[in-house]
Amino acid sequence: MNARDLVSILSVIDGGDQKLRDLVSLHTVDALACLAAGAGSREGSSLLAFYRETGAGDAVSSAAGASAVIRFTEWDAIHVPSCATPDAMAVPVALSFAQDIPTYVKAVAAGHAIGVALSEAVGGVAALPETWPGLFAAPAVAAVSAAIAMGLSDEQIAQALVLSVAGSSGRNGRPSGMPSARWLVIGEAVLKGIRAALAAKADIKGDLDLLSPCWMKGQAASAVPLEAAHINSAVIAKVVAKPFVSARQGINAIQAFSTLLQKGADPIDIESVQVYLPPVAVPVVSRPLAAEDRLSTIAHLGLQLGIAAFEPARQMDVDRSRAFGTDVLDFAKRVTVSADESLTAEGWPARVVVSEKGQTREAVWPQNFNEDAQAVLDRKIESLQPAVAHALQRIEMAFTGADPSAVAETRGLMRSLTDSPASKSEAA
């Protein structure tokens, strides 16, 4: 697909649309809540320090550091079918360059559209683990968001897009240690995307036919040709916030289990928990638990159910540096995860069966639960230190009222969070 054709679809996005502005506001506040939680963690603060020290604290390095930390939290919004997580790139980049609300709204929405489109075309969940769709799309999200926020022409936006993805891939392996290159590569991808937009602004030219079927197929075995049908200017509405820190593959199971606790299941009396998930969701959440490995504690479903049972406040704990109690770890051993071919709906639905005193309780949690997105966001904000929570609530009001200062105020908060370590969440 020629990059000009792709950008022509994005060009119809109306940054002045109130419904779109409200959606972008939600995503903005959600991303900054993640940034606030991540900035106060050990690894998050290390990433931000790296970008401050190597980028002299400029707007570009600030955006890159913010993107890396937002994605690091594993609390940022996700488009489940494609595994795209564009909030982490689109929000910091657009904030860094947009000067008014309509431009900002269009930049964020367009970043989401290109991020989901490329992530879907590369194969989405089917591309894992060899190719990480979110990483593959990250430079393009940053480039498109930056180019629109800078007010570049459609031709320059198209050039920024192809310059950003040239030479890129979503192959990152499985970096270990702390700080991890898993998150550094997100920041570096954002740097590349912003630089591509700046290069396009300077009239540097790329190959507008780069995104060909042959090129796409070279990115992953599961890739398909990028087509106009992949580009949905309203897809930001389908990028859903996470209610707590977790691998998305396990969230529905945690929700289902939590409903059973609310209905009276006593964790002390629970003998076993059987979780059934779509086959594609099982590998991530059923790897052996390594309690000293942060990502393992976020992905391992048995531990997550133990947290829900005995330390529910730590569902908001991004850092994971404090040891878990023996009751949580012992509970994790009672959880078994199995694949169920009948769970075919989008969103990795889950069925959870709890055995308690010889009786069983069962709950199913679908993709589209009825909880309001605002309620999810409010809980996330409330888990932060009061000063940050108050600032985010004020920003919500500014966007709702179309306050001309909303973008500048939000940019100021982002810079304050990246310029110095933020307070941890209450759960940490």
Side-chain angles (χ1 to χ4, degrees):
M1 184 178 187
N2 185 280
R4 288 194 186 96
D5 299 328
L6 192 157
V7 169
S8 71
I9 300 173
L10 300 178
S11 67
V12 304
I13 295 174
D14 179 7
D17 180 77
Q18 181 178 343
K19 183 177 179 181
L20 183 59
R21 185 184 75 226
D22 291 344
L23 275 170
V24 168
S25 172
L26 280 173
H27 282 268
T28 300
V29 175
D30 186 77
L32 289 187
C34 291
L35 174 59
S41 69
R42 293 180 304 166
E43 189 165 1
S45 62
S46 295
L47 285 164
L48 291 176
F50 170 78
Y51 280 105
R52 283 197 302 272
E53 293 163 6
T54 60
D58 61 13
V60 175
S61 60
S62 178
S67 294
V69 171
I70 293 168
R71 186 72 278 275
F72 147 81
T73 64
E74 291 285 358
W75 205 7
D76 53 323
I78 184 170
H79 179 261
V80 173
S82 69
C83 292
T85 49
D87 275 21
M89 303 94 205
V91 169
V93 171
L95 278 177
S96 295
F97 296 101
Q99 298 304 312
D100 57 69
I101 290 179
T103 302
Y104 174 72
V105 168
K106 182 173 182 177
V108 172
H112 280 71
I114 187 61
V116 170
L118 285 173
S119 297
E120 281 187 331
V122 84
V125 68
L128 298 169
E130 286 77 16
T131 299
W132 179 6
L135 174 60
F136 169 68
V141 176
V144 168
S145 296
I148 291 176
M150 292 177 190
L152 303 190
S153 67
D154 284 0
E155 176 69 17
Q156 289 171 315
I157 296 168
Q159 294 289 353
L161 171 60
V162 296
L163 289 170
S164 73
V165 297
S168 295
S169 83
R171 299 180 182 90
N172 188 44
R174 293 191 177 280
S176 59
M178 194 285 288
S180 172
R182 179 175 177 83
W183 316 117
L184 177 68
V185 294
I186 294 294
E188 296 302 290
V190 167
L191 280 179
K192 184 181 182 187
I194 295 173
R195 295 280 293 174
L198 293 170
K201 184 178 181 181
D203 290 327
I204 294 175
K205 303 294 193 294
D207 178 5
L208 293 177
D209 291 315
L210 177 66
L211 301 171
S212 66
C214 181
W215 184 84
M216 284 300 306
K217 197 61 182 176
Q219 309 310 309
S222 56
V224 299
L226 180 63
E227 298 176 348
H230 287 113
I231 315 298
N232 178 0
S233 60
V235 77
I236 189 172
K238 297 182 179 180
V239 179
V240 181
K242 289 183 179 179
F244 32 74
V245 180
S246 172
R248 181 58 182 81
Q249 289 89 335
I251 281 182
N252 283 337
I254 301 169
Q255 295 276 30
F257 177 69
S258 296
T259 64
L260 295 177
L261 295 177
Q262 293 164 11
K263 291 178 180 179
D266 188 338
I268 296 175
D269 294 329
I270 292 175
E271 299 154 0
S272 66
V273 180
Q274 181 66 59
V275 178
Y276 299 94
L277 294 172
V280 71
V282 171
V284 169
V285 299
S286 60
R287 297 187 192 117
L289 174 63
E292 70 284 357
D293 181 342
R294 175 182 172 272
L295 273 182
S296 180
T297 70
I298 288 173
H300 191 275
L301 192 49
L303 184 73
Q304 289 282 35
L305 298 191
I307 293 169
F310 293 101
E311 299 184 42
R314 294 197 67 185
Q315 291 179 311
M316 308 285 193
D317 178 11
V318 167
D319 197 19
R320 302 294 175 108
S321 60
R322 182 162 50 90
F324 290 99
T326 55
D327 46 5
V328 172
L329 297 172
D330 288 342
F331 192 90
K333 299 173 184 176
R334 299 179 228 166
V335 179
T336 304
V337 181
S338 301
D340 185 342
E341 298 277 359
S342 70
L343 296 170
T344 57
E346 286 187 358
W348 302 320
R351 182 164 64 93
V352 175
V353 181
V354 168
S355 296
E356 178 186 5
K357 292 183 177 181
Q359 298 182 331
T360 61
R361 301 173 187 252
E362 180 174 329
V364 176
W365 202 267
Q367 174 192 13
N368 296 316
F369 53 94
N370 294 323
E371 186 169 32
D372 181 70
Q374 185 65 54
V376 173
L377 179 57
D378 288 344
R379 282 204 309 276
K380 187 175 290 189
I381 294 173
E382 289 164 7
S383 74
L384 303 171
Q385 291 294 329
V388 176
H390 178 69
L392 290 172
Q393 289 163 347
R394 190 171 63 247
I395 285 169
E396 277 193 286
M397 293 177 61
F399 272 101
T400 298
D403 186 334
S405 67
V407 173
E409 183 176 355
T410 310
R411 179 165 53 243
L413 176 60
M414 182 183 76
R415 291 301 299 270
S416 71
L417 292 171
T418 56
D419 287 348
S420 61
S423 299
K424 293 183 179 181
S425 70
E426 298 288 351

